[in-house]
Amino acid sequence: MTRISVVTGASGGIGRAVARRLAARGDTVALLARGEEGLEGAAEDVRRAGGTALPIEVDVADYQAVDAAAERVEKELGPIGLWVNNAFSSVFAPFVEIEMPEFVRTTEVSYLGYVYGTRAALSRMRTRDQGVIVQVGSALAYRGIPLQSAYCGAKHAIQGFTESLRVELLHEKSNVHVTMVQMPAVNTPQFGWVLSRLPRKAQPVAPIYQPEIAARAVEYAADHPKRREYWVGGSTALTLAANAIAPGILDRYLARTGFKGQQTDERRSPDQPANLWQPADENTDAGAHGDFDDQATPRSVQLWASQHHGVLAAAGAGLVAAGAAWAFGRR
């Protein structure tokens, strides 16, 4: 049967790449975002990949609108089998330079948008006792960095919320599953349209991955949702390990490198769009990729490894056995 999938923030970046990936495998995809032109571009991508698209203009910070969108999906397409929470917005600035309405708005979109999407999906999935919810997270769900306090706070909140919900579903012995995919720096349009008060253009912290890597990870998580979370990219694994072992040292390292490392050498244009309050892709289609194709990699050995624990464990056991046999034979 064709799976009915919903992707929030589907008009650009990771959401756009996820929608393409799901469509290519045969899913019918409902696309939730605010920008009309970006949504239409995403819908065309889905159709070109051979899927059926339902674009819906919605602000995920409005629960009633999100719930109404879910209701429309089920009426027009059928029961939702997969819901991917991905929509976000943010502010690039030191915390003291962020206006409180901006911080609140970031939290409403980037955290409560996930809560609202999860609730809309869960209220329908639980009655059928089946379905999958994938939360697109970040290494910043564990490790805060400078200039992104609102975004880091939202990702940390999503992490705690998802853990709580997962335990409740386990207690119910529910066949609805929720998992989280922690992303590295990804080459998406966000760096050109997130509200910024930085003197120079914002950039992802290297190493940078292409959004198709993220989309593959989301697809895999949707197909294997019993695992609590997935880490994407070697940088994510190293960051989380370093933060667990020596968070104080990481604090000082980021204090030295985190400001310069998130900015290019090019001055930021005062006319740069900001999608915090209004969509930046209302009249233009930004697609999935940002401005860093020349620096971004389309591969991740760590992602493959994280998806093949069994193979690696078997190979490791085989090497141990072979080594033991070799050592025994030398006696």
Side-chain angles (χ1 to χ4, degrees):
M1 293 179 63
T2 299
R3 182 174 61 183
I4 310 301
S5 297
V6 177
V7 181
T8 72
S11 64
I14 291 175
R16 181 75 167 262
V18 168
R20 292 171 180 167
R21 186 88 185 180
L22 297 178
R25 61 174 285 154
D27 286 16
T28 293
V29 187
L31 308 149
L32 275 56
R34 294 177 299 161
E36 181 179 358
E37 193 71 21
L39 263 177
E40 284 305 317
E44 183 57 32
D45 282 354
V46 168
R47 299 182 190 112
R48 192 179 298 116
T52 299
L54 176 62
I56 303 175
E57 290 186 42
V58 63
D59 185 341
V60 296
D62 181 343
Y63 173 68
Q64 297 302 324
V66 173
D67 192 59
E71 188 66 18
R72 179 180 169 188
V73 171
E74 297 227 328
K75 284 183 178 179
E76 296 188 23
L77 302 178
I80 297 168
L82 169 65
W83 186 288
V84 180
N85 281 312
N86 167 74
F88 78 94
S89 189
S90 189
V91 182
F92 277 108
F95 171 66
V96 294
E97 295 181 18
I98 300 174
E99 301 294 336
M100 283 299 98
E102 296 167 350
F103 202 102
V104 170
R105 172 66 177 169
T106 298
T107 304
E108 289 174 341
V109 174
S110 303
Y111 170 49
L112 291 180
Y114 277 55
V115 174
Y116 297 158
T118 300
R119 184 58 177 267
L122 200 60
S123 64
R124 292 160 175 83
M125 292 176 175
R126 283 181 74 243
T127 61
R128 299 186 287 266
D129 194 33
Q130 62 180 7
V132 175
I133 300 168
V134 176
Q135 317 283 40
V136 176
S138 168
L140 306 188
Y142 288 93
R143 173 69 244 182
I145 64 174
L147 306 178
Q148 296 199 51
S149 58
Y151 179 82
C152 292
K155 289 301 182 183
H156 275 67
I158 294 164
Q159 177 73 14
F161 161 69
T162 300
E163 288 176 349
S164 180
L165 173 60
R166 184 185 298 114
V167 173
E168 292 173 3
L169 292 172
L170 287 170
H171 175 77
E172 293 179 3
K173 296 180 171 58
S174 175
N175 287 312
V176 177
H177 301 287
V178 58
T179 187
M180 196 163 178
V181 184
Q182 311 296 14
M183 299 295 182
V186 181
N187 175 34
T188 71
Q190 67 153 313
F191 299 94
W193 70 27
V194 168
L195 176 61
S196 177
R197 294 202 173 89
L198 304 180
R200 299 187 300 279
K201 285 186 175 181
Q203 68 174 7
V205 179
I208 307 169
Y209 295 84
Q210 293 288 27
E212 287 75 20
I213 290 286
R216 293 210 307 269
V218 169
E219 178 192 29
Y220 189 88
D223 291 341
H224 304 82
K226 292 185 180 181
R227 196 158 127 193
R228 69 191 313 272
E229 69 178 26
Y230 293 85
W231 296 357
V232 182
S235 57
T236 297
L238 288 172
T239 297
L240 300 191
N243 191 60
I245 297 169
I249 293 175
L250 198 52
D251 286 345
R252 288 166 176 77
Y253 172 78
L254 289 169
R256 291 196 306 271
T257 66
F259 284 69
K260 183 178 179 180
Q262 294 186 78
Q263 300 178 73
T264 71
D265 294 330
E266 188 177 350
R267 298 291 298 181
R268 177 179 59 83
S269 169
D271 299 323
Q272 176 178 305
N275 76 339
L276 186 61
W277 305 103
Q278 301 294 331
D281 57 355
E282 179 68 19
N283 300 307
T284 184
D285 180 15
H289 287 217
D291 296 330
F292 304 95
D293 280 331
D294 59 335
Q295 303 173 47
T297 176
R299 287 175 288 276
S300 170
V301 174
Q302 184 279 333
L303 174 60
W304 183 91
S306 74
Q307 296 173 353
H308 295 83
H309 284 172
V311 173
L312 292 174
L319 288 173
V320 170
W326 178 81
F328 182 79
R330 287 177 58 86
R331 289 182 179 180

